[in-house]
Amino acid sequence: MKKSIITISREYGSGGRMIGKMVAEKLGISYYDKEIIAKVAEATGFTEDYIEKNGEYSPSKSIFAYSVVGRDRSGSSMNDYIFSVQRKIILEIAEKGPCVIVGRCADDILADYENSLHVFVYGEAEEKIKKVMASNHVSEKEALKLMKMTDKKRSINYNYYTDRQWGKAQNYDICLNSSAFGYEACADIISEIAK
Amino acid sequence: MKKSIITISREYGSGGRMIGKMVAEKLGISYYDKEIIAKVAEATGFTEDYIEKNGEYSPSKSIFAYSVVGRDRSGSSMNDYIFSVQRKIILEIAEKGPCVIVGRCADDILADYENSLHVFVYGEAEEKIKKVMASNHVSEKEALKLMKMTDKKRSINYNYYTDRQWGKAQNYDICLNSSAFGYEACADIISEIAK
């Protein structure tokens, strides 16, 4: 396989996680998502729920608040600590062998990693809202709010811990509109390129 | 063929034009780039050189200057006129049959066109500079300046004539980093998807 480490960044509701799972199955390689949460929880002593809420999302919708919240005298915050442990675990996972890693700034952490393929998955708002409504059993209005808030918090976290802008095409090797192709076709495109 | 109208938007130096030609050859369909310039020149009475300089690039590096320059009492400018003729010609080309169209806001003009595939090609700065140096016989410094200026003028033109932001992943069905894959592989990926 030419590209053995595949990172998938995604908009909320775009099916990036599902596409990542399909790619791992098609290529017969490991898939990491919730497993990272468990590893970080174990290493830090926090609950998995706390890591899930803080390992990829800013606690605030303001980049300024995020940069000052919860800092001790050394200038470190709890989120900085979680991020550094998570970073180390992602590097260890990549060392183990071929895999798909979803989210968690893995594209930036493994940017210079040889044989890596960095993917961004996005979609049309209309279709993403339908998916979020169905999977979260919420109204259209609530789905839109949830979608905006989640992507906002993901982008603040990403922009803060990397020197990049979340979702900017230039960070990735390939960006795919899952509404244009469907999940299965996106997984096929990624798998074919990886091969 | 599932996707018969392929538009390619590209960063300067990313090889988007070359990739577009390869895709047209691989699929055995028409390729439009300079042909559009000739058609617009014929329809407007301007020289091809004038159309090439004004059909895709803002005359100024400022969006404000661009929005006010050369307007008559009706509020129209020469660039508005060229854009409207170019738009009509692109729609006529798409009606004729399967083709690849490079640049000129074709992705936006044909956004709702059935069976269309909208691609954005970008690349790593280092590699793009090398390509621009070789093809324009200029120094590294001059290549970087030319690259920045060309993309700036393209983006101002695009952002002005569409309601979109040039190079934003969400405008396109797929975005490809030509430095990660090479031109030939990019053309293969696009051709396979189109099929």
Side-chain angles (χ1 to χ4, degrees):
Chain A
M1 199 159 60
K2 275 162 63 191
K3 305 283 186 187
S4 57
I5 307 289
I6 300 166
T7 70
I8 298 192
S9 310
R10 76 292 184 212
E11 284 182 347
Y12 190 64
S14 70
R17 177 174 284 180
M18 185 68 82
I19 292 166
K21 270 187 198 165
M22 288 175 174
V23 170
E25 273 170 29
K26 280 175 198 287
L27 298 174
I29 62 177
S30 305
Y31 170 80
Y32 292 97
D33 179 9
K34 301 276 181 196
E35 295 77 3
I36 297 175
I37 295 171
K39 280 174 189 283
V40 178
E42 197 190 337
T44 57
F46 286 109
T47 64
E48 291 191 19
D49 189 52
Y50 186 86
I51 298 299
E52 180 155 23
K53 283 194 183 121
N54 290 275
E56 197 177 9
Y57 305 98
S58 73
S60 156
K61 283 207 289 175
S62 146
I63 184 88
F64 174 71
Y66 191 33
S67 66
V68 296
V69 78
R71 296 200 174 268
D72 61 21
R73 283 188 187 178
S74 73
S76 297
S77 77
M78 205 56 89
N79 279 75
D80 294 350
Y81 174 58
I82 292 172
F83 185 79
S84 75
V85 172
Q86 190 167 267
R87 187 177 180 281
K88 199 170 149 268
I89 286 169
I90 287 172
L91 287 166
E92 281 169 8
I93 285 171
E95 278 301 319
K96 276 192 191 164
C99 63
V100 175
I101 304 175
V102 173
R104 286 155 224 289
C105 307
D107 61 298
D108 184 71
I109 294 166
L110 302 171
D112 300 324
Y113 211 90
E114 225 172 325
N115 304 326
S116 59
L117 177 69
H118 305 294
V119 184
F120 184 68
V121 180
Y122 53 99
E124 308 295 344
E126 209 172 286
E127 197 159 322
K128 290 188 296 177
I129 288 170
K130 277 186 203 159
K131 300 276 178 192
V132 175
M133 284 171 73
S135 57
N136 293 272
H137 311 289
V138 293
S139 69
E140 190 178 331
K141 202 178 158 186
E142 286 167 320
L144 183 63
K145 196 179 160 189
L146 188 60
M147 218 169 81
K148 279 191 177 176
M149 195 189 64
T150 308
D151 282 345
K152 181 87 187 170
K153 288 186 166 189
R154 272 181 193 164
S155 74
I156 287 175
N157 186 73
Y158 184 91
N159 301 352
Y160 183 73
Y161 284 112
T162 74
D163 282 333
R164 302 164 155 202
Q165 197 189 331
W166 183 78
K168 198 180 172 199
Q170 283 78 353
N171 301 339
Y172 313 95
D173 296 321
I174 180 168
C175 307
L176 287 167
N177 181 344
S178 64
S179 309
F181 306 117
Y183 297 177
E184 188 75 37
C186 284
D188 282 336
I189 293 168
I190 299 166
S191 308
E192 282 306 311
I193 291 174
K195 280 182 199 159
Chain B
M1 198 161 58
K2 275 161 64 192
K3 305 283 186 183
S4 57
I5 306 290
I6 301 165
T7 70
I8 298 191
S9 310
R10 76 293 183 208
E11 284 182 347
Y12 189 65
S14 70
R17 177 175 284 180
M18 183 69 80
I19 293 166
K21 268 186 200 166
M22 288 174 173
V23 170
E25 273 169 29
K26 281 175 198 287
L27 298 174
I29 62 177
S30 305
Y31 170 80
Y32 292 97
D33 178 10
K34 302 275 182 195
E35 296 76 3
I36 297 175
I37 295 171
K39 281 174 189 281
V40 178
E42 198 191 335
T44 57
F46 286 108
T47 64
E48 291 191 18
D49 189 52
Y50 186 86
I51 298 299
E52 180 154 24
K53 283 193 183 121
N54 291 275
E56 197 178 9
Y57 305 96
S58 72
S60 158
K61 283 208 288 176
S62 146
I63 184 85
F64 175 71
Y66 192 34
S67 66
V68 296
V69 77
R71 296 199 175 268
D72 61 22
R73 285 188 185 178
S74 73
S76 296
S77 76
M78 205 57 89
N79 280 73
D80 294 350
Y81 174 58
I82 291 172
F83 185 80
S84 75
V85 172
Q86 190 166 267
R87 186 177 180 282
K88 199 170 149 267
I89 286 169
I90 287 172
L91 287 167
E92 281 169 8
I93 285 171
E95 278 301 319
K96 276 191 190 165
C99 63
V100 175
I101 303 175
V102 174
R104 284 152 227 289
C105 308
D107 61 298
D108 184 71
I109 295 166
L110 302 172
D112 300 324
Y113 211 90
E114 225 173 325
N115 304 326
S116 59
L117 177 68
H118 304 295
V119 184
F120 184 67
V121 179
Y122 53 98
E124 308 294 343
E126 209 172 287
E127 196 158 321
K128 288 187 297 178
I129 288 170
K130 276 186 203 158
K131 299 276 177 193
V132 174
M133 284 171 73
S135 58
N136 292 273
H137 311 288
V138 292
S139 69
E140 190 177 333
K141 201 178 160 187
E142 287 167 320
L144 183 63
K145 195 179 161 191
L146 188 59
M147 219 168 80
K148 280 191 175 175
M149 194 190 64
T150 308
D151 282 346
K152 181 87 185 168
K153 288 186 167 190
R154 273 182 192 164
S155 73
I156 288 176
N157 187 72
Y158 185 91
N159 301 353
Y160 183 74
Y161 284 112
T162 74
D163 281 332
R164 300 165 158 200
Q165 197 189 331
W166 183 79
K168 197 179 172 200
Q170 282 79 352
N171 300 337
Y172 312 95
D173 297 320
I174 180 168
C175 307
L176 287 166
N177 181 345
S178 64
S179 309
F181 305 118
Y183 297 176
E184 187 77 35
C186 283
D188 281 336
I189 293 168
I190 299 165
S191 308
E192 282 306 311
I193 292 174
K195 279 181 199 162

